[in-house]
């Protein structure tokens, strides 16, 4: 999706919600070549651009390993991207891991059956069809949860 970043429009309603939370920091553990990162991080970058109260930093999996270990996928794996929302004292207040929930519902059983290689194009088709909407919504929800103190 990387080149599609320019076409990723953040709806005003989501941008307003992101701006309303106050100052937060977002740490993203990502890796070049990760298809989930390639589809999520550009959307997150556009969201951060739309909300000056948000600050984002990227680190690779070697640097972010300890955060990946603490914040795993529903099936127990470490994964990129691992998105952490931090408060002013750099405490993790919320996390979003790897993929939107809708994609996880479809994709995690495929991983469990060890069919991900053969069905990779289906995952990419899901991302293309969704156009970042689920990612935007879930990331704004994670930011709001961090601001409110909710888990």
């Amino acid at each position: 999706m990387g080149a599609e970043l320019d076409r990723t429009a953040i709806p005003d309603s989501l941008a307003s919600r992101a701006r309303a939370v106050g100052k937060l920091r977002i740490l993203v553990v990502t890796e070049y070549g990760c298809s989930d990162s390639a589809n999520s991080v550009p959307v997150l970058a556009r969201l951060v651009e739309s909300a000056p109260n948000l600050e984002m930093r990227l680190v690779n999996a070697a640097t972010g390993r300890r955060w990946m270990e603490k914040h795993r996928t529903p099936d127990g794996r470490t994964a990129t991207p691992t998105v952490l929302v931090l408060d002013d004292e750099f405490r993790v207040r919320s996390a979003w891991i790897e993929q939107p929930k809708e994609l996880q519902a479809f994709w995690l059983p495929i991983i469990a059956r060890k069919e991900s290689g053969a069905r990779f194009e289906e995952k990419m088709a899901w991302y293309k069809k969704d156009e970042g909407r689920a990612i935007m919504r879930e990331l704004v929800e994670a930011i709001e949860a961090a601001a409110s103190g909710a888990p």
Side-chain angles (χ1 to χ4, degrees):
M1 184 169 175
E4 296 174 12
L5 172 61
D6 293 333
R7 294 188 296 247
T8 303
I10 305 299
D12 290 338
S13 61
L14 291 177
S16 295
R17 287 169 59 188
R19 286 191 296 268
V21 299
K23 184 169 177 56
L24 291 170
R25 293 173 172 90
I26 300 172
L27 178 66
V28 182
V29 182
T30 185
E31 280 295 331
Y32 179 79
C34 168
S35 62
D36 295 305
S37 290
N39 283 282
S40 301
V41 175
V43 174
L44 177 55
R46 292 290 288 187
L47 180 63
V48 169
E49 285 176 1
S50 73
N53 54 302
L54 302 177
E55 179 183 314
M56 182 173 80
R57 296 287 181 261
L58 306 177
V59 297
N60 65 24
T63 302
R65 176 69 45 201
R66 68 179 183 205
W67 293 296
M68 291 170 59
E69 292 288 339
K70 286 180 103 174
H71 304 278
R72 292 175 175 263
T73 62
D75 61 347
R77 295 172 295 111
T78 60
T80 57
T82 294
V83 179
L84 305 175
V85 185
L86 312 167
D87 64 17
D88 283 342
E89 296 177 20
F90 297 96
R91 293 176 296 204
V92 176
R93 293 299 183 189
S94 183
W96 184 89
I97 313 302
E98 190 181 35
Q99 303 164 336
K101 289 176 181 72
E102 183 181 334
L103 178 56
Q104 287 177 358
F106 158 73
W107 193 245
L108 293 180
I110 291 171
I111 290 173
R113 292 189 306 266
K114 300 186 182 338
E115 298 173 356
S116 59
R119 302 199 48 200
F120 180 77
E121 291 305 318
E122 292 175 63
K123 177 172 104 169
M124 299 313 289
W126 185 94
Y127 275 120
K128 184 174 183 173
K129 180 181 174 210
D130 183 68
E131 298 178 329
R133 288 185 298 270
I135 296 163
M136 286 182 245
R137 185 180 62 256
E138 289 184 19
L139 290 171
V140 168
E141 289 168 358
I143 290 164
E144 290 173 329
S148 73

